[in-house]
Amino acid sequence: MFRSSLIFLLTAVSLLAPAACDAASFTGHVLLPDGKPAFGAMLTVFDESRQNRETVYTAADGSFAIRTAFAGQLQMRARLAGYDDAVLPATGSEQARQDVSLTLKSFDGPEPASLSLAASAFNARLPWDGNFAVRTTFVSQCNYCHQLGNATTRVPRSHQEWLAEINKMEAILALPSQREKSKIAAVLTKGFDGQPVQASQFYGASAELARAKVREWNAGDDFTFIHDADIARDQKLYGTDEGHDLLWVLDRPSGKIERYPLPDIDLPRGGYFSGMTLPIGVFSGKHGPHSMAQTSDGRIWITNSLSSTLMSFDPASHQFKTYPIGEDTIYLHTIRADAHDVLWFTSVASNHVVRFDPKTEKATVIRLPSNGPAQWVSELLLPTLLRIGSWFPGQAMHLNLSTHRIFGYSVLPFPYGIDVNPSDGSIWYAKLNVSKIGRIDSVTLAIQEWDTPMRGPRRPRFDQNGILWIPAFDDSGLMRFDPATQSFATFKIPPIGAGEYETPYALNVDRRNGEVWMSANNSDRILRFFPATGQFLSYPSPTRVTFLRDFAFAQDGNVCSSSSNLPSYAIEGGRGGFICVDPFGGEMDRQALSQGSN
């Protein structure tokens, strides 16, 4: 049975703003149908364009308080899992005080409960019938760079139609075998049948959650794909648009967003991947900017996945400079800078880590160990296959000779995330497809690898004490590795519903307090992990179909990322952009408004 609609009782008053930039402030309560307070509900204020929004979470008594710089004709929305949204207009005003009477805008009829469920509810109900090996491939390869199971992707399709969709994903480096493709297509045909799903999802509520505030800014169009976001020294938020060859720059206080096109290069659309059937409209460029790191001279360094180039950007002059790395390094990925401003980045599809010294502009390509003869052959063949494929643009001809169709995704180990150990300067990477982590001695370049106890290590990070924290994408978990003792500890991520699983893509560690922030991309939430207690805290995302990448920490305490589901038009509202969580922003609003009302 669908749960009853949320009764939203709201008194909103525009109060004297503590700062001149505050255009509107609102207080009120959110109550459940029985009159009890709704604890942990989201109260979101949209600006006049509906492209930017700010959200707070209700306290145990259902109360909220929010200050915003938005002005004009605003919109407010209350949202709680299992209940209908309550949406109503609001007016932003620069007047010191103004009583505003808001009226609940109810739905014409009850919203089907399944329309508001996160993708994890639908994926949990896929009929794998005990075939856990193929299910593992599905989690690893089909939840790879976007949600699967949201309203856009779970539409009913025939077996052949699902095979066509899987082939499309295979052309952009998803690597199921031929046998696995057919089995996955059969499960999706049966599981995504268009029928409503009844499930209860609970994100949790706490006093800590009620202290937080979330800000979101849309950027670009419905095909914009901001892969990574990072906070630079100027405290602006930078985003690499892998699809459109753009660098986006957000000034958070003003909300102003600028775009800087990457310089052209003598390559076809898709760069060295022009033979692939890249998603039309999504990958329209040649470089494919992916990840960023900043050196002490202020330059921002960008790995370009499609053109196999490294690029620098000067925030002062807005000038780019390109450094070719070589087409045998395939799909440049995550980049980090060490204490000496030397850059280290992974080359995913060719099993390399690259060392680049900006002072000498010299790149050293380090081939990582091959984990078996099939992997060794696959790594040697792939550059040649891609060159052959480029003779037939957009036809994905290289796949006909690829060994993954026989052996599956593990034939390409995919060195993915990378980080620098602050204790000794060593370089650590994660091999996603073979569940290994590795260490590179930054001086001798000697390599050592370990198997991880959970599968799918993706983008790891070190804490201030030299402990490596690793998201386990395939196994819905978090891993802790101590290099001194070479020992692992594991933590299972609590799901929001029965039988559901999580897909943690990336994490970062706040070295000021050791807290770990993670993406939870199957259930529209951000996770905060407290190592001292082993507890997870969930921040429900105000926007459905949230797929977050790297996290960055601002000086003001904000934790920021990019909302970058592929494609962006699947995201609620049709566009992605930037998102920041201020763990104490909601509490600050409450205190300021409480003082203003006295």
Side-chain angles (χ1 to χ4, degrees):
M1 297 294 293
F2 296 141
R3 299 177 72 177
S4 56
S5 299
L6 172 69
I7 299 176
F8 180 45
L9 301 180
L10 175 65
T11 303
V13 182
S14 181
L15 298 171
L16 179 62
C21 64
D22 289 325
S25 302
F26 303 98
T27 60
H29 289 78
V30 181
L31 303 179
L32 298 175
D34 59 5
K36 294 180 180 179
F39 190 11
M42 292 178 279
L43 191 288
T44 300
V45 178
F46 296 79
D47 74 353
E48 195 164 39
S49 71
R50 306 293 187 263
Q51 299 304 309
N52 305 301
R53 49 214 176 272
E54 299 184 1
T55 299
V56 292
Y57 302 89
T58 56
D61 63 356
S63 66
F64 69 86
I66 184 169
R67 298 181 299 167
T68 175
F70 299 155
Q73 298 302 311
L74 313 181
Q75 186 181 80
M76 302 182 71
R77 183 192 69 202
R79 171 173 287 179
L80 182 64
Y83 298 90
D84 291 335
D85 287 350
V87 181
L88 63 160
T91 301
S93 173
E94 295 181 358
Q95 298 183 31
R97 296 188 68 89
Q98 180 180 5
D99 293 335
V100 180
S101 180
L102 298 178
T103 303
L104 173 66
K105 181 181 179 183
S106 61
F107 290 98
D108 294 331
E111 180 187 36
S114 60
L115 292 182
S116 64
L117 292 173
S120 55
F122 294 87
N123 290 331
R125 285 154 180 78
L126 290 174
W128 294 105
D129 298 329
N131 198 334
F132 296 112
V134 178
R135 179 187 179 275
T136 297
T137 299
F138 168 78
V139 173
S140 174
Q141 302 299 301
C142 298
N143 296 157
Y144 194 79
C145 57
H146 59 87
Q147 277 193 13
L148 185 58
N150 61 59
T152 301
T153 55
R154 65 173 181 260
V155 297
R157 292 183 173 94
S158 68
H159 186 271
Q160 285 303 119
E161 289 171 333
W162 274 116
L163 274 178
E165 290 297 311
I166 296 170
N167 287 336
K168 188 189 302 181
M169 295 301 99
E170 183 184 27
I172 53 173
L173 294 181
L175 302 172
S177 69
Q178 291 291 78
R179 181 187 67 85
E180 289 170 333
K181 285 197 300 183
S182 181
K183 289 184 176 294
I184 291 170
V187 169
L188 297 180
T189 302
K190 185 177 180 181
F192 293 158
D193 57 5
Q195 297 301 309
V197 164
Q198 296 184 20
S200 177
Q201 294 183 318
F202 181 63
Y203 287 84
S206 66
E208 192 69 33
L209 178 64
R211 302 173 75 185
K213 186 174 187 178
V214 179
R215 298 180 70 191
E216 298 172 277
W217 302 263
N218 285 355
D221 56 33
D222 54 355
F223 286 107
T224 294
F225 182 40
I226 300 178
H227 195 286
D228 276 0
D230 201 3
I231 298 282
R233 287 181 175 82
D234 58 13
Q235 294 305 295
K236 292 181 179 179
L237 194 51
Y238 290 72
T240 46
D241 189 341
E242 188 173 8
H244 292 344
D245 281 1
L246 296 171
L247 182 66
W248 296 92
V249 183
L250 166 67
D251 179 71
R252 291 179 295 130
S254 68
K256 180 182 178 182
I257 297 179
E258 299 174 312
R259 61 194 291 274
Y260 297 98
L262 274 60
D264 199 5
I265 192 171
D266 187 21
L267 285 174
R269 171 184 172 269
Y272 291 120
F273 292 81
S274 61
M276 290 188 168
T277 53
L278 297 171
I280 296 174
V282 177
F283 288 90
S284 59
K286 303 175 181 181
H287 286 293
H290 195 283
S291 179
M292 290 170 290
Q294 190 173 30
T295 45
S296 60
D297 61 4
R299 284 185 293 178
I300 295 172
W301 296 84
I302 303 168
T303 48
N304 288 322
S305 295
L306 304 182
S307 65
S308 291
T309 59
L310 183 66
M311 189 172 285
S312 65
F313 176 77
D314 185 339
S317 66
H318 303 153
Q319 296 298 307
F320 292 92
K321 185 175 180 180
T322 305
Y323 305 84
I325 302 300
E327 57 189 279
D328 281 347
T329 53
I330 303 173
Y331 209 83
L332 307 186
H333 204 273
T334 308
I335 185 170
R336 308 289 181 223
D338 68 17
H340 306 288
D341 280 343
V342 174
L343 299 160
W344 301 81
F345 51 93
T346 50
S347 179
V348 165
S350 55
N351 199 25
H352 293 127
V353 165
V354 181
R355 178 190 187 275
F356 183 87
D357 188 340
K359 298 182 181 66
T360 63
E361 298 185 356
K362 177 184 177 182
T364 303
V365 179
I366 305 163
R367 178 168 289 280
L368 301 180
S370 296
N371 306 115
Q375 288 183 15
W376 180 76
V377 170
S378 300
E379 293 163 17
L380 293 181
L381 281 178
L382 188 57
T384 301
L385 292 179
L386 287 175
R387 293 190 192 100
I388 294 173
S390 68
W391 302 343
F392 309 92
Q395 300 301 309
M397 295 294 290
H398 63 287
L399 294 178
N400 295 327
L401 299 175
S402 177
T403 55
H404 84 272
R405 288 192 162 180
I406 300 172
F407 298 108
Y409 64 87
S410 63
V411 294
L412 290 177
F414 273 30
Y416 211 84
I418 193 169
D419 204 14
V420 182
N421 189 337
S423 298
D424 62 5
S426 58
I427 311 303
W428 292 71
Y429 58 86
K431 282 184 173 179
L432 174 65
N433 285 351
V434 292
S435 298
K436 292 179 180 289
I437 58 170
R439 178 189 187 273
I440 302 175
D441 187 293
S442 59
V443 177
T444 67
L445 304 187
I447 300 171
Q448 186 178 5
E449 292 189 342
W450 293 262
D451 293 321
T452 59
M454 302 180 93
R455 293 167 297 183
R458 203 141 190 185
R459 298 182 90 170
R461 292 279 199 159
F462 277 97
D463 66 17
Q464 67 275 21
N465 299 316
I467 299 297
L468 188 63
W469 294 91
I470 313 159
F473 187 85
D474 299 4
D475 276 346
S476 190
L478 171 64
M479 296 180 282
R480 177 190 186 275
F481 181 75
D482 185 345
T485 62
Q486 298 187 22
S487 60
F488 287 92
T490 61
F491 307 87
K492 201 72 174 178
I493 296 172
I496 61 172
E500 299 184 13
Y501 64 88
E502 198 45 79
T503 51
Y505 176 92
L507 60 77
N508 203 352
V509 185
D510 190 339
R511 292 186 179 177
R512 295 167 293 191
N513 54 29
E515 294 174 359
V516 181
W517 291 77
M518 302 175 62
S519 57
N521 288 335
N522 205 24
S523 60
D524 297 333
R525 56 181 171 152
I526 298 168
L527 298 175
R528 181 181 178 190
F529 179 76
F530 302 91
T533 63
Q535 299 298 308
F536 289 90
L537 173 65
S538 292
Y539 293 85
S541 172
T543 301
R544 293 176 179 138
V545 194
T546 299
F547 201 101
L548 305 181
R549 312 282 171 164
D550 252 355
F551 287 92
F553 301 105
Q555 290 177 353
D556 60 9
N558 275 237
V559 184
C560 300
S561 187
S562 56
S563 180
S564 56
N565 187 77
L566 179 65
S568 287
Y569 61 72
I571 300 171
E572 183 179 17
R575 292 171 65 189
F578 299 100
I579 180 171
C580 292
V581 178
D582 183 345
F584 306 105
E587 181 180 12
M588 293 172 62
D589 282 3
R590 285 179 180 274
Q591 292 177 353
L593 295 181
S594 175
Q595 293 170 1
S597 62
N598 293 331

